[in-house]
Amino acid sequence: MVKLKFFRFFLIGSFLLIGLSCTKGGGSQDIVIPTLKIENGSQTRGVSATAMQFQLTLTKITTVPVSVNYVLTDGTALASKDYVAASGTVTIDAGKALGELIVMIKGDPTNTRQANPEFKVQLSNPKNCTLGSSSAKGTIITEDGTNLTTDNTGYATPTSYPGMSLTWSDEFSENAPDMNAWNFEIGNGGNGWGNNELEYYTNSGKNVFLSNGNLIIEARKETIGNFNYSSTRMTTQNKKSFKFGRIDIRAKLPVTKGMWPALWMLGSNISSMPWPKCGEIDIMELVGLDPKKVQGTGHFASSAGVHDSRGGGYSLSSEDFSQKFHVFSILWAQDSITWLVDDKPFYTMTKASAGTDNYPFNNDFFFIFNVAVGGDWPGAPDGTTNFPQRMFVDYVRVFQ
């Protein structure tokens, strides 16, 4: 008798469920409430106001309108300066599956480069739908701005020296690099130009630009092909080459783990006399493992034809090389090179001390400025390495 009562209850319950899933006219159409989702939005900031679009999507088209309330909330982006505060209701008409929410982004006439500010769109009170996502992130793209200021304090050198003339200089005071002087090497040079570097070099304004009298080379964490970082390597090869004199380069350096900024020179005959026979003069190199120390080195081929080098280091007593500008110099003469930081000599190489007849440093050389990421010497970035990382160069001057 108990089993029979249970069976009757089961049948009645089943018929009720079937009735709820049917239309009034006896059809079999299920009542399905659609789910609404909102996608993240992004927009490059312009000098004047622009619009950022957020797309709303329904999982099912309905025969009735669908609506949801929204409100914008601050994150690193602030309504007081970055976007126009707003709240209200978005409606998706019957028979449609897509809607949009437009947020006005305030312009920046200065086009300042900074970390991308973000805000949030918060959804609530859905009608004729459920929420698959209740919020979305709005990203204002400002990381590619052309205006970037930096503290200009630090050491500086004069524009003239007794008995010498200024042969060539670049003060980086224009709007873009001087293409009559500079080239950009693109790619990774096959095995990172022999150093197992991790970056892809570009000529993009993301990685190299001039601002407020400085050349800025910016290393970024971004994927290009098989590489996870980007940066810039620029040269004066076949455009500007020099032999002997005084060279001054005023710069402020990136110093964190995995960074390898360099201001250096290669022998102009490298096409016919491959490295190391052509010679290499590293006016300044720094590896992030030692942020207070720079190296000056001459590389060449020994009498046996294998790589050899001579060089020394210069260390700051307290702060590191990212905090102020310093001037990295060489005094370059027949058969000798002396390296200086802020007019303080720290190493001299002579032809005699090199101990080889294959002394290449009495020939013409061209400049290379670059910021490498990773490589055999500095090692790879780690969790302490924040990107972007930047090298600022105020000027390069050649006196002869």
Side-chain angles (χ1 to χ4, degrees):
M1 193 66 177
V2 173
K3 292 183 178 179
L4 181 58
K5 287 182 178 179
F6 175 77
F7 182 70
R8 289 176 177 172
F9 176 79
F10 176 78
L11 288 176
I12 293 171
S14 298
F15 284 128
L16 287 172
L17 289 173
I18 293 171
L20 286 173
S21 64
C22 296
T23 63
K24 187 175 180 181
S28 59
Q29 180 179 354
D30 292 341
I31 300 174
V32 178
I33 297 177
T35 299
L36 183 146
K37 296 183 179 180
I38 182 171
E39 302 294 332
N40 292 332
S42 65
Q43 176 64 39
T44 299
R45 169 173 270 163
V47 296
S48 57
T50 54
M52 182 185 298
Q53 177 182 347
F54 293 84
Q55 181 170 293
L56 293 90
T57 306
L58 292 175
T59 56
K60 179 181 175 63
I61 295 174
T62 70
T63 57
V64 294
V66 167
S67 66
V68 64
N69 293 345
Y70 74 90
V71 64
L72 309 183
T73 60
D74 285 350
T76 53
L78 305 177
S80 59
K81 66 173 185 177
D82 296 312
Y83 67 94
V84 178
S87 62
T89 301
V90 178
T91 299
I92 300 177
D93 294 335
K96 295 185 178 180
L98 297 177
E100 67 176 13
L101 168 64
I102 300 297
V103 176
M104 295 307 299
I105 305 302
K106 296 181 179 180
D108 177 15
T110 66
N111 198 21
T112 297
R113 181 173 293 216
Q114 60 179 325
N116 296 333
E118 299 174 348
F119 63 93
K120 184 181 289 187
V121 179
Q122 191 70 45
L123 303 182
S124 63
N125 194 28
K127 293 184 178 179
N128 297 322
C129 67
T130 60
L131 292 179
S133 53
S134 60
S135 66
K137 179 175 65 176
T139 303
I140 305 172
I141 307 299
T142 57
E143 64 186 4
D144 301 332
T146 57
N147 177 34
L148 181 65
T149 60
T150 189
D151 185 353
N152 196 47
T153 59
Y155 199 82
T157 46
T159 56
S160 63
Y161 293 97
M164 305 183 80
S165 299
L166 181 63
T167 302
W168 176 75
S169 71
D170 197 335
E171 305 293 321
F172 304 112
S173 56
E174 303 299 325
N175 294 323
D178 179 6
M179 298 311 296
N180 292 317
W182 296 101
N183 315 291
F184 293 98
E185 296 189 320
I186 308 300
N188 188 260
N191 197 29
W193 273 278
N195 299 312
N196 293 308
E197 298 168 20
L198 302 177
E199 80 294 314
Y200 187 94
Y201 286 121
T202 85
N203 61 354
S204 168
K206 295 181 178 182
N207 298 113
V208 58
F209 62 107
L210 304 187
S211 180
N212 296 288
N214 293 314
L215 165 72
I216 302 165
I217 296 179
E218 181 171 303
R220 293 188 172 194
K221 187 175 183 180
E222 62 177 349
T223 300
I224 301 180
N226 295 325
F227 301 94
N228 295 322
Y229 306 94
S230 65
S231 188
T232 287
R233 172 172 162 137
M234 52 196 295
T235 85
T236 64
Q237 187 176 16
N238 299 322
K239 292 181 178 179
K240 299 289 181 181
S241 60
F242 307 94
K243 182 173 71 173
F244 306 152
R246 175 176 177 133
I247 296 172
D248 292 337
I249 307 175
R250 187 174 192 256
K252 184 159 59 173
L253 310 175
V255 300
T256 193
K257 176 73 168 64
M259 303 312 300
W260 187 1
L263 305 166
W264 51 301
M265 307 181 81
L266 279 176
S268 297
N269 60 354
I270 189 171
S271 297
S272 59
M273 193 72 67
W275 188 92
K277 290 183 179 180
C278 64
E280 173 182 329
I281 304 171
D282 297 328
I283 300 171
M284 181 288 305
E285 288 184 287
L286 179 145
V287 293
L289 292 171
D290 200 344
K292 297 180 181 180
K293 185 176 184 178
V294 294
Q295 302 282 342
T297 311
H299 298 265
F300 53 93
S302 69
S303 297
V306 298
H307 171 240
D308 201 352
S309 65
R310 299 288 185 275
Y314 180 91
S315 297
L316 298 175
S317 58
S318 55
E319 61 191 11
D320 63 51
F321 279 97
S322 71
Q323 293 171 276
K324 292 180 180 178
F325 278 89
H326 295 271
V327 179
F328 307 99
S329 306
I330 57 171
L331 299 177
W332 181 15
Q334 181 82 28
D335 296 336
S336 73
I337 304 174
T338 296
W339 282 261
L340 309 88
V341 173
D342 297 342
D343 282 325
K344 300 180 179 65
F346 66 92
Y347 184 76
T348 296
M349 176 184 68
T350 65
K351 183 177 181 180
S353 68
T356 177
D357 293 332
N358 303 312
Y359 184 84
F361 304 110
N362 293 331
N363 301 318
D364 289 347
F365 278 64
F366 62 87
F367 287 107
I368 303 179
F369 292 179
N370 73 292
V371 176
V373 181
D376 296 332
W377 193 8
D382 61 18
T384 67
T385 309
N386 295 317
F387 286 91
Q389 291 287 324
R390 302 180 179 111
M391 176 168 71
F392 297 83
V393 182
D394 184 10
Y395 56 75
V396 52
R397 297 169 182 166
V398 180
F399 303 89
Q400 293 176 319

